[in-house]
Amino acid sequence: MKLNFKSLQNYIFISLITLWPIVHFTSINIGENIISVRVIYFGLFFCFLFLFLYRIKTIFLEEEVALSLVLSLVIAFFLFGSIEKLVFNFRNTIEHSAKIAIFFQFLLFLTLNYFFSKFLRKNNKFKLLTTLLVVLWVFPLLKIIHNFPQTQEFKFSKPMTINGNFVLKSNVYYIILDEYAREDVLMDYLSINNIEFIKKLKNMDFEYFPNSLSNYDTTPLSISTTLNMDYYTYNTNYDVDIIQNKSRILQILKEQGYKNIFVESGGNSQITCNGLEDYCIKSGTISDDIALLLQMTPLWRIMRSDKFYRYFEGIYLLTDLKKSIDRILQIIKKDNSSFFVFSHILSPHNPQRYNKDCSKFFSINPGLGTATKEQYSIDLPCLNVDVISSVKSIIKQDKSDPIIFLTSDHGIARSMVDNNDEILRLKNLILIKSPKQCSKFYTKNLTPVNFMNFAISCLQDKNLPFKKNRHFVTIKGEQTQLVEVTDLVKEAELLDDK
C-alpha cells in the first residue's frame, strides 16, 4: 500500500490516541514521583503494536474500517481497569469482576466500532477525530503542567572529610521498615502489644528509643535526609539521587574503602539500583509505574490469574527482609571488604504481605492503595518474625561487630486511625545496635538526621557534631506544603514528661 496523505493522517491519529493513556496516567501520578522513563517506553511499545495491527488490517480491509476497528480496540483495551473498578464498587467483591469487566469491555468495543464505522465514512472524519483528541489530551496536559514538580535548588552543606582512618571497620546496616509505628502508638491506636518484640531486640544488645520521632512524615524526605546527614530542603521536593547512591555517608565510607549493597524495595520506582552501587539486590522486574499502567489493561489480570501466575510470579515483587539479608551475608562472606547496606522494606506499609498464619498473601492488584488497621495488624507480627530471624543471622554471621539501624521512615497515617494528632505520623521506630564502645555517642533524642553522624562517630571513635533536631509534616491541599512542627513536638515531649 502506497502511503498517501490520507494514510499518514490515519497513522498520526492512531499514534496520538494510543499514547493518550500514557499522558492520562502521567497526569494523575506525576505529583507522586512514581513516573519513570519506562512509562514512555511502555507507551511507545503499544503505539507501534497498534500501528502494526492497523497496517496488517489495511491489507484485508478498507482504511476507514481498519481505522475504526483499531481506534475502538485501543480505547476499550485501556479502559479495562476503570470498568473493573466500577464493577468492583458496584458488587463490593473482586470475585468474577474481571470476567464481568471483559464482557462490558467487549460491549464498549462494539459500541465504539459502530460509532466510528458510521461517522468515519463521512467527510467529517478529520473534524471528529480532532475533537476526540482534544477531549482526550487537553485536560491531562493541563494537569501535568499544574502538577509538574518544580525545579528545586537544594541547600547542601559542604562535602564532609574525615581525617585519618577509621578505628573500627564495622559493617553498617541501614534497615528501614516502612511506616512501622512507635510502641505506644501501636498499643493506643491499634491495640498491638509490641513489648515482646522490643524485649527480644534489647536482649540482643539493641539500644531502644521509646520516645523516637522521625524528622519528616514522608519516605523520600526522611531517608534522603538521613543519608545526607543534614537537612537540605524545606519543602516537599527531594533529591532522589541521595537515595540512589549519591549520598554524603557513601562519599565518606567510600573514602575509607567501604563498598555498598543496595536492596531495592520493590514497587517503589524511586528506590531502585542505578548502577553506582557495588552490589544490587533486585526485586521484581517491573516497578510500580508499569504495574499501575498494566492494571489499566486486561493483561494485568491475566498475569495475576491462577492459570498464568506461575509464569509471571517474579515480575512484580516486594522485597522480603529475610531473603535479602541472607543474600547480603553471602556477599559479605565472599568479599573481604567493609560494607554499607541500604535496605528499604515496604512493610508493614500496605499492600498486604501476609495471611494471618504468616504465609504469603496473594494480591491480585498489589498497588500501594490505602492503609487499613486490619492489613497493618496482620502484617506487623509476621514482619516481626522476619526481623528477629534476620537480626539473628546478621549477629551470628557478620564478624565485623556491625552497626545496625533498625528503624522506620515514619509512623502510621492519621487517616488509618481517624486521628487529628499532627505529629502522629512522626512517631516512628528506632532501635540501634553498635559496638559496646560506641554507647557513649548515643543521645536521648536521637533522630534519623543524625543516624549516620552517630555511625561515623562510632567508626572513628570521635564525636562528629550532631544536627539540631527539627520536625516537619506534610499538609495536603490544593498545593502540598511542608510545615515545621518542631515547637509542637517539644510541647508534646514536655507533656509526656509530666
Side-chain angles (χ1 to χ4, degrees), residues 81-93:
S82 298
I83 295 171
E84 188 189 21
K85 190 174 181 180
L86 287 173
V87 171
F88 173 79
N89 290 338
F90 181 76
R91 300 176 68 245
N92 202 29
T93 176

Side-chain angles (χ1 to χ4, degrees), residues 63-312:
E63 286 192 7
E64 279 72 16
V65 175
L67 180 63
S68 174
L69 284 169
V70 172
L71 292 181
S72 304
L73 181 61
V74 169
I75 296 172
F77 180 74
F78 281 103
L79 284 178
F80 170 83
S82 298
I83 295 171
E84 188 189 21
K85 190 174 181 180
L86 287 173
V87 171
F88 173 79
N89 290 338
F90 181 76
R91 300 176 68 245
N92 202 29
T93 176
I94 198 75
E95 188 176 5
H96 303 306
S97 63
K99 295 175 183 176
I100 297 171
I102 287 285
F103 172 75
F104 282 110
Q105 185 185 34
F106 182 65
L107 289 182
L108 176 63
F109 167 75
L110 293 178
T111 303
L112 289 171
N113 188 49
Y114 171 78
F115 174 80
F116 285 131
S117 297
K118 185 175 181 180
F119 289 98
L120 291 184
R121 291 178 179 274
K122 299 181 179 180
N123 295 327
N124 59 355
K125 181 184 81 171
F126 182 82
K127 184 178 179 181
L128 172 66
L129 293 181
T130 302
T131 303
L132 177 63
L133 281 174
V134 169
V135 171
L136 293 177
W137 276 73
V138 167
F139 292 108
L141 286 176
L142 289 174
K143 199 168 184 179
I144 289 173
I145 294 170
H146 180 265
N147 293 332
F148 196 83
Q150 299 296 313
T151 302
Q152 173 68 19
E153 198 67 37
F154 297 120
K155 298 179 181 179
F156 294 106
S157 302
K158 294 179 181 179
M160 191 180 296
T161 303
I162 303 300
N163 295 322
N165 295 325
F166 285 162
V167 175
L168 300 176
K169 282 291 185 179
S170 302
N171 293 326
V172 180
Y173 295 78
Y174 178 32
I175 300 171
I176 308 107
L177 308 175
D178 201 303
E179 206 176 27
Y180 202 119
R182 213 165 68 180
E183 181 185 1
D184 56 337
V185 173
L186 294 175
M187 178 59 77
D188 293 344
Y189 295 98
L190 297 168
S191 300
I192 297 175
N193 188 335
N194 213 32
I195 293 176
E196 190 62 29
F197 172 71
I198 300 298
K199 183 179 178 181
K200 287 180 181 179
L201 290 167
K202 288 173 72 175
N203 288 340
M204 288 187 272
D205 296 325
F206 274 82
E207 185 75 16
Y208 174 52
F209 298 80
N211 298 314
S212 53
L213 290 162
S214 61
N215 303 103
Y216 295 90
D217 65 347
T218 62
T219 300
L221 285 172
S222 184
I223 293 176
S224 60
T225 300
T226 297
L227 296 172
N228 186 55
M229 303 170 67
D230 199 356
Y231 309 96
Y232 69 94
T233 180
Y234 300 102
N235 58 45
T236 55
N237 292 319
Y238 61 91
D239 188 351
V240 71
D241 285 345
I242 299 176
I243 300 174
Q244 292 182 309
N245 305 305
K246 290 184 179 180
S247 62
R248 178 175 294 159
I249 182 61
L250 272 181
Q251 170 236 319
I252 294 170
L253 293 175
K254 292 280 186 178
E255 290 174 356
Q256 296 287 331
Y258 276 67
K259 292 182 179 179
N260 70 311
I261 302 174
F262 191 102
V263 182
E264 293 188 340
S265 61
N268 189 325
S269 60
Q270 291 289 312
I271 302 182
T272 57
C273 298
N274 66 348
L276 297 179
E277 63 284 326
D278 294 290
Y279 293 94
C280 171
I281 295 180
K282 293 191 69 65
S283 54
T285 52
I286 65 172
S287 51
D288 239 20
D289 46 7
I290 300 302
L292 291 171
L293 267 171
L294 285 171
Q295 286 177 39
M296 297 171 67
T297 75
L299 296 178
W300 181 260
R301 290 303 304 273
I302 293 170
M303 289 163 54
R304 305 294 292 184
S305 66
D306 292 338
K307 191 171 184 179
F308 293 98
Y309 176 69
R310 63 194 179 101
Y311 300 109
F312 299 99

Side-chain angles (χ1 to χ4, degrees), residues 250-458:
L250 272 181
Q251 170 236 319
I252 294 170
L253 293 175
K254 292 280 186 178
E255 290 174 356
Q256 296 287 331
Y258 276 67
K259 292 182 179 179
N260 70 311
I261 302 174
F262 191 102
V263 182
E264 293 188 340
S265 61
N268 189 325
S269 60
Q270 291 289 312
I271 302 182
T272 57
C273 298
N274 66 348
L276 297 179
E277 63 284 326
D278 294 290
Y279 293 94
C280 171
I281 295 180
K282 293 191 69 65
S283 54
T285 52
I286 65 172
S287 51
D288 239 20
D289 46 7
I290 300 302
L292 291 171
L293 267 171
L294 285 171
Q295 286 177 39
M296 297 171 67
T297 75
L299 296 178
W300 181 260
R301 290 303 304 273
I302 293 170
M303 289 163 54
R304 305 294 292 184
S305 66
D306 292 338
K307 191 171 184 179
F308 293 98
Y309 176 69
R310 63 194 179 101
Y311 300 109
F312 299 99
E313 184 176 4
I315 205 167
Y316 185 75
L317 298 172
L318 298 174
T319 307
D320 285 323
L321 177 61
K322 186 63 175 70
K323 289 181 180 179
S324 300
I325 293 299
D326 289 343
R327 291 180 62 187
I328 288 164
L329 292 171
Q330 289 175 9
I331 292 170
I332 291 174
K333 186 177 180 181
K334 294 178 182 178
D335 190 329
N336 190 28
S337 302
S338 297
F339 285 94
F340 176 78
V341 176
F342 172 88
S343 178
H344 171 246
I345 303 299
L346 198 62
S347 187
H349 193 293
N350 52 300
Q352 187 170 338
R353 283 177 183 259
Y354 303 97
N355 294 305
K356 289 183 179 180
D357 62 355
C358 291
S359 60
K360 285 296 163 64
F361 175 79
F362 174 73
S363 175
I364 292 176
N365 290 320
L368 293 182
T370 303
T372 64
K373 286 184 180 181
E374 182 182 11
Q375 168 267 317
Y376 194 96
S377 299
I378 290 172
D379 279 3
L380 188 132
C382 299
L383 174 64
N384 285 352
V385 174
D386 276 356
V387 169
I388 296 298
S389 177
S390 300
V391 169
K392 284 182 177 178
S393 295
I394 294 172
I395 293 172
K396 182 179 179 179
Q397 299 181 47
D398 190 327
K399 306 304 181 182
S400 71
D401 199 3
I403 301 170
I404 307 172
F405 295 95
L406 189 60
T407 182
S408 59
D409 43 2
H410 54 75
I412 58 173
R414 289 179 291 169
S415 59
M416 186 199 293
V417 293
D418 193 24
N419 185 276
N420 293 321
D421 181 1
E422 286 187 74
I423 65 172
L424 178 66
R425 194 168 167 85
L426 294 175
K427 297 176 180 179
N428 69 334
L429 173 77
I430 298 180
L431 292 119
I432 304 174
K433 177 176 172 57
S434 65
K436 289 183 179 179
Q437 62 265 44
C438 297
S439 59
K440 60 191 174 187
F441 299 115
Y442 286 126
T443 61
K444 179 184 176 182
N445 297 318
L446 185 64
T447 62
V449 71
N450 286 312
F451 283 171
M452 299 306 149
N453 299 59
F454 169 83
I456 298 302
S457 297
C458 176

